Amino acid sequence: LSPSDVFTKRYGSCTGLSIFLADALRSCGIPARIVGVAEWNQPEKGNHNWVEVWFEERWNKVDAGPGEQWNKVWFSALAQKAVEHSLSGIYSPITWLPSRANAVYRVTWADPQLELPAIELTALYKEPLPSPGLAGHDVTLKVLVVAVSVLLVSMLFAMSRLQSVGSPQC
């Protein structure tokens, strides 16, 4: 689903929610990137996408769906099993700057499958990060998400009002 679909329908896949959250954060000037794994390194496989947000001089991860705390996510143990430069590697697609890519992120659930230029991030997930000052603070994330949501709603409302300007009234 597109960010506007997620907003309208109030649900989405991990990919849709991650795109929505990253776009909302970016619209407020907060650096954010989408990160994902095409296939977990486990017998059940599966895939997932989440968001990394830049603060305290590093990227901090948060799950766009059930995420409540910085750098404390349900998939940490799975991420540590990721294999670089494979389907189970961890990547951040960078379609806007393909010359900086050092890997390919395969969107295996798309039909046909997509291959996007990406940055290889697997090594960063092998060891847990030391907690920054905001790590584990669920209130910080909730306040941030609410603030971004209010801004996004305001922007969508303003855009809908602008679309009606100049339209013939019946």
Side-chain angles (χ1 to χ4, degrees):
L1 295 174
S2 69
S4 61
D5 287 339
V6 169
F7 181 77
T8 303
K9 296 178 181 183
R10 301 201 183 346
Y11 69 85
S13 65
C14 60
T15 304
L17 293 172
S18 294
I19 292 168
F20 182 82
L21 179 58
D23 284 353
L25 291 165
R26 291 171 185 159
S27 74
C28 296
I30 300 168
R33 65 186 181 188
I34 298 161
V35 179
V37 60
E39 188 175 277
W40 289 118
N41 187 15
Q42 64 176 355
E44 300 83 17
K45 304 298 179 199
N47 59 62
H48 192 55
N49 287 288
W50 59 94
V51 176
E52 288 185 346
V53 182
W54 182 262
F55 63 85
E56 295 193 357
E57 302 302 314
R58 71 170 201 211
W59 291 103
N60 294 272
K61 59 187 168 284
V62 64
D63 197 12
E68 291 191 3
Q69 296 184 337
W70 294 114
N71 299 314
K72 293 189 179 188
V73 291
W74 65 266
F75 53 84
S76 291
L78 286 170
Q80 289 178 346
K81 296 177 186 176
V83 178
E84 288 182 295
H85 300 289
S86 74
L87 278 178
S88 68
I90 297 173
Y91 305 95
S92 180
I94 54 167
T95 55
W96 64 93
L97 199 57
S99 63
R100 289 243 173 120
N102 63 2
V104 172
Y105 181 58
R106 289 174 177 79
V107 183
T108 55
W109 56 95
D111 187 22
Q113 180 175 306
L114 300 174
E115 293 189 351
L116 304 174
I119 300 171
E120 169 71 62
L121 299 174
T122 306
L124 300 175
Y125 282 81
K126 291 296 186 179
E127 296 294 325
L129 292 172
S131 296
L134 294 177
H137 290 265
D138 59 339
V139 174
T140 303
L141 177 58
K142 289 175 183 172
V143 168
L144 179 63
V145 169
V146 168
V148 169
S149 297
V150 168
L151 177 64
L152 192 56
V153 168
S154 300
M155 289 171 46
L156 288 171
F157 177 74
M159 286 174 30
S160 69
R161 299 293 293 161
L162 288 174
Q163 287 177 346
S164 64
V165 173
S167 299
Q169 299 295 320
C170 298

